[in-house]
Amino acid sequence: MKLFKNIIFFLFGIFISILFFELYFKVTEIKLPFKTIDVNVGKSYQSNVLIHENKENLYLGETNQYGFVGNYTLKKPENTFRIAFFGDSFVEGFQVFEKHKFVNISEKYLNKNSKVNVEILNFSISNAVLPDIYIRKKRLAEKFDIDLFVYFLDSYDLILPSQSPLNSVELDFSTNFLKIKNVKSKSIASYYKLEPIIDNSSCFNLLLDTYFLYNRNELNEILLDKFYFKENIKHDYSYYDSIFKNLPNATTRIITDLNREKSVFIFREDINKDLKSSLQKLPNFKIPIIETKPVLDSLNRKGVRPYFWENSQTEGHFNYKANESIGKFIAKKLKPFIKK
């Protein structure tokens, strides 16, 4: 009987502790859940929730009713040219405040001396690769009036499969027309049963983040901080050489579909030469390719490390100066595409 009481008190203590940390994270806004797996879009962000992220730097924001940041209507205002931006965490930009993101800086400079109002809608999401981007375009972005689609990528984003460990939708390549189908699995069914806890619990989200960091071998570096000695491992990327020369069917099918609309590819750094050659060999390929390497090289020559954050002493995403320079550069490159 005494053992039973001890177990009850122990479990009650755990429950109270979890409840305390849950309230603490919520009240202090240290950890606010904002991610979800949407039944139609797949991995996405919850609607109308606050986003507080503290990675290389602090970010504060809020999602709209459609699950991305920004206040937009489905139908564009009169005399407006709309651009949809897609990409991963570099475009998502949860390291700087909204006005400092390069997409918003581009929007500001595109509107200077312009006869039309330019809006940039940012549909990016962390860890997105080409299949994820395509699904977000078809299921989310195409709900809006869009005049130009811009894809901010690196070379590997075009050939890698979705990196999400769990998703509700996937691409179906079995027919002549590219389709998006819902995934029916025990894992996704279990997720939706536990969705109220998974999507709203700060503690649960913290545990999930810890698990993903562990899987990416990034947990020890964060926990040990200055006491962590990072191994200088040289990665061999030669495996991808043949893939860039012979693009997967999935890649060619998606790009062929994107090629039908007014689109632009912008590559972080530069595009792999074999990949560029393979793209240009695709039938009627007409998507312009822009590289940001000249901007980043210029910053480096001036002694500015575009990925270095002084406050956290870490290398990561674009810092403030890089966002500013890339924003101006992209605005200049996209200006010819804006219809007066």
Side-chain angles (χ1 to χ4, degrees), residues 177-199:
F177 297 98
L178 199 51
K179 294 181 179 179
I180 301 170
K181 66 179 182 180
N182 288 85
V183 174
K184 295 180 180 180
S185 67
K186 291 182 179 179
S187 298
I188 198 66
S190 299
Y191 168 83
Y192 284 119
K193 287 179 182 177
L194 298 172
E195 185 179 9
I197 298 175
I198 297 173
D199 283 5

Side-chain angles (χ1 to χ4, degrees), residues 142-161:
E142 288 189 359
K143 292 180 179 179
F144 296 79
D145 285 340
I146 303 295
D147 299 296
L148 177 67
F149 296 92
V150 178
Y151 306 93
F152 191 95
L153 312 153
D154 68 33
S155 296
Y156 299 98
D157 290 337
L158 269 71
I159 60 173
L160 290 174

Side-chain angles (χ1 to χ4, degrees), residues 41 43-44 123 125 132-138 140-141:
V41 182
K43 61 179 183 180
S44 190
F123 295 102
I125 188 167
D132 306 313
I133 288 170
Y134 182 81
I135 291 171
R136 287 183 70 77
K137 173 187 179 293
K138 301 299 289 186
L140 179 58

Side-chain angles (χ1 to χ4, degrees), residues 5-17:
K5 286 183 178 180
N6 288 338
I7 293 173
I8 294 297
F9 282 125
F10 175 74
L11 294 175
F12 182 72
I14 291 177
F15 173 77
I16 293 297
S17 298

Side-chain angles (χ1 to χ4, degrees), residues 60-91:
L60 304 175
E62 185 176 1
T63 63
N64 57 32
Q65 62 180 313
Y66 304 105
F68 67 100
V69 178
N71 185 23
Y72 303 101
T73 56
L74 295 178
K75 185 175 177 59
K76 67 180 182 179
E78 290 185 12
N79 197 40
T80 297
F81 188 91
R82 266 192 179 169
I83 303 172
F85 250 82
F86 302 88
D88 59 10
S89 55
F90 278 88
V91 195

Side-chain angles (χ1 to χ4, degrees), residues 110-139:
L110 283 169
N111 277 300
K112 282 190 174 182
N113 303 316
S114 177
K115 294 182 180 179
V116 295
N117 177 47
V118 179
E119 289 184 346
I120 295 183
L121 282 64
N122 190 349
F123 295 102
S124 304
I125 188 167
S126 58
N127 298 317
V129 292
L130 190 60
D132 306 313
I133 288 170
Y134 182 81
I135 291 171
R136 287 183 70 77
K137 173 187 179 293
K138 301 299 289 186
R139 290 283 180 89

